[in-house]
Amino acid sequence: MRLPIAFPSVKTLFCFTCVTASAPALGHGWITSPPSRQDHCAEGRTAFDCGAIAYEPQSVEAPKGSMQCSGGSQFSVLDTVGPWPVTSVGDDATFTWQLTVAHRTQSWDYFVDGIGFLSVDDGHQIPALNVSHRLTGLPRGRHTILARWNIGDTGMAFYSCVDVQVGS
């Protein structure tokens, strides 16, 4: 009698493993400092209607590799040129992600006006809920910085754009 009872539990465990292994990324996050476009939307600091991103700034998830602020997701308002609020920063600035749920991380990539600037390999570790990276030697002037959080065990990434004025 024990075999029929043990067999269904192993079968159930196998099915659960299959389902959880193929689940989408559970992590969500966005840059809060300096404030990103979605952070400005969530805090009501734009002169226009941001749509749904105002209520879920952590949800800009799309396949890895995009160079769009929306990542190619349904939040295309983030791809518009503006008018986005611009934050003044120095030549060196710390960018802080707020994660609502952490997920294994492949890397954090930063692009200044579409050009690769910094990539931080996270070795597929699960990060803390607040993650900061220092960008040093930023070029002076007005720039859009695209940040990409590449999830380690899926083909997805989270995207966040920050509009900055470097220097005076």
Side-chain angles (χ1 to χ4, degrees):
M1 284 303 229
R2 287 186 165 216
L3 183 58
I5 293 171
F7 180 70
S9 62
V10 170
K11 183 177 175 182
T12 302
L13 178 62
F14 176 75
C15 289
F16 175 77
T17 302
C18 292
V19 170
T20 57
S22 63
L26 299 175
H28 290 80
W30 76 107
I31 291 180
T32 56
S33 180
S36 62
R37 290 181 177 184
Q38 60 255 53
D39 196 58
H40 284 302
C41 288
E43 297 297 325
R45 294 186 299 251
T46 61
F48 53 90
D49 180 10
C50 291
I53 195 61
Y55 307 103
E56 48 184 311
Q58 73 282 357
S59 298
V60 184
E61 180 181 20
K64 291 177 188 172
S66 177
M67 294 300 290
Q68 296 177 293
C69 293
S70 70
S73 71
Q74 74 269 22
F75 303 113
S76 59
V77 68
L78 298 172
D79 298 327
T80 62
V81 176
W84 291 102
V86 177
T87 303
S88 292
V89 298
D91 298 349
D92 299 341
T94 300
F95 286 70
T96 302
W97 287 80
Q98 178 178 325
L99 310 183
T100 55
V101 179
H103 198 72
R104 291 197 184 280
T105 301
Q106 175 184 348
S107 63
W108 308 85
D109 297 329
Y110 294 86
F111 302 86
V112 176
D113 299 330
I115 299 170
F117 189 81
L118 176 69
S119 185
V120 178
D121 185 337
D122 230 10
H124 296 271
Q125 299 300 309
I126 296 175
L129 293 180
N130 287 296
V131 175
S132 295
H133 300 111
R134 187 146 179 88
L135 279 66
T136 59
L138 288 167
R140 292 190 172 257
R142 188 190 183 296
H143 304 286
T144 297
I145 298 178
L146 167 66
R148 191 169 57 205
W149 172 26
N150 295 301
I151 304 305
D153 51 6
T154 74
M156 303 302 277
F158 288 87
Y159 295 82
S160 201
C161 276
V162 180
D163 296 280
V164 297
Q165 174 66 44
V166 180
S168 53

